[in-house]
Amino acid sequence: MPNGCQRAGWWMLILIPVILGCYYVLYAFFRESALFALVNNNSRYMTMTLGIVVVVSLFLICLSKEKTEDEMISALRMRTVTIIAYILFFSILVYLLYWSLDAGFRFGHSWDTIFFLLQALTWPLFFAPVLYIAIFKVMLWHSKKDERQ
Amino acid sequence: MKNNLRVERAILDITQQQLAEAVGVSRNTIISIESGRYVPSTVLALKIARYFGKPLEVIFQLEEDE
């Protein structure tokens, strides 16, 4: 995706705290208003929408090109993906080992345990792009340090 | 892999930016190649060699232990 998509992604991500701030203002000062009642009654849709916006904006940032996208940037991306693969693999392994015992104690060895584990495994959907952006930007910044000197 | 990109640039009296534009990469990539932090692909190495009009081995050489 072109570099413009990255800017759009950042703007969408900035929009989240703004929306949450508006919700807090409504909650703090206009709790009796019809608008707050409308928002509060549809909070499930609001949470869903915010979740989708976060995921879409994170993927826009991850998948769009830098201003000058050359082979060194591609190599940096590849290295970042490898690091994330290691982090996710080991964290999921630790998670499965630790929580499968815990969930086993809580729900017993039943389908509930399996559903509990699978439900919690959706977190990499948020975690992976956030990690990718953080690691890639740090590596990019580090590689551009010499250029600035 | 070591290289004498800096020397070749000095001979032709061109900047990192000029070389970067000529071979179609960013200046940051040229800086990284010169400092040995990044090993270019075969295509980029050949483009650089062609730009300087010299064989590849003159600009890029393998280290003793490679």
Side-chain angles (χ1 to χ4, degrees):
Chain A
M1 281 189 276
N3 182 249
C5 290
Q6 194 178 110
R7 208 171 302 151
W10 283 115
W11 279 112
M12 279 169 73
L13 212 58
I14 291 167
L15 210 67
I16 308 291
V18 173
I19 292 169
L20 290 174
C22 290
Y23 182 75
Y24 177 74
V25 168
L26 275 176
Y27 176 77
F29 303 109
F30 304 98
R31 208 179 297 183
E32 302 303 319
S33 68
L35 183 63
F36 179 72
L38 180 77
V39 172
N40 211 31
N41 289 338
N42 296 299
S43 58
R44 182 192 288 182
Y45 299 112
M46 190 175 148
T47 315
M48 188 187 74
T49 313
L50 286 179
I52 291 169
V53 169
V54 168
V55 171
V56 169
S57 58
L58 286 175
F59 275 91
L60 277 177
I61 296 166
C62 288
L63 301 177
S64 52
K65 290 177 180 173
E66 291 296 311
K67 273 179 190 163
T68 43
E69 185 87 14
D70 58 10
E71 64 170 60
M72 197 182 77
I73 300 282
S74 304
L76 281 182
R77 285 188 193 282
M78 199 62 204
R79 206 180 306 163
T80 311
V81 169
T82 312
I83 292 169
I84 288 170
Y86 276 113
I87 292 172
L88 285 184
F89 177 78
F90 285 109
S91 51
I92 288 172
L93 194 72
V94 169
Y95 166 81
L96 283 176
L97 285 173
Y98 182 76
W99 287 106
S100 60
L101 291 171
D102 186 67
F105 283 126
R106 269 197 270 170
F107 306 118
H109 293 286
S110 64
W111 283 107
D112 286 345
T113 310
I114 295 165
F115 286 133
F116 175 80
L117 288 171
L118 288 178
Q119 196 181 11
L121 280 176
T122 54
W123 63 265
L125 188 68
F126 291 93
F127 189 54
V130 170
L131 257 182
Y132 178 88
I133 293 165
I135 295 171
F136 177 66
K137 291 293 175 188
V138 166
M139 285 168 96
L140 199 62
W141 174 81
H142 189 72
S143 77
K144 282 184 177 174
K145 215 160 59 176
D146 290 343
E147 195 178 359
R148 284 192 296 272
Q149 284 166 355
Chain B
M1 192 167 77
K2 56 186 179 180
N3 66 78
N4 51 9
L5 217 57
R6 208 180 294 254
V7 177
E8 294 298 332
R9 265 195 322 105
I11 292 167
L12 286 189
D13 193 25
I14 57 158
T15 62
Q16 290 169 331
Q17 185 64 43
Q18 285 171 318
L19 176 61
E21 283 168 14
V23 294
V25 292
S26 66
R27 183 175 157 242
N28 189 29
T29 304
I30 300 296
I31 293 169
S32 297
I33 296 170
E34 279 187 2
S35 60
R37 277 189 287 110
Y38 177 66
V39 177
S41 68
T42 318
V43 176
L44 180 57
L46 284 167
K47 276 182 184 175
I48 291 169
R50 189 172 62 185
Y51 180 80
F52 288 118
K54 292 185 176 174
L56 194 64
E57 298 83 359
V58 175
I59 299 163
F60 297 98
Q61 300 95 28
L62 288 173
E63 303 269 12
E64 292 301 318
D65 55 341
E66 284 178 318

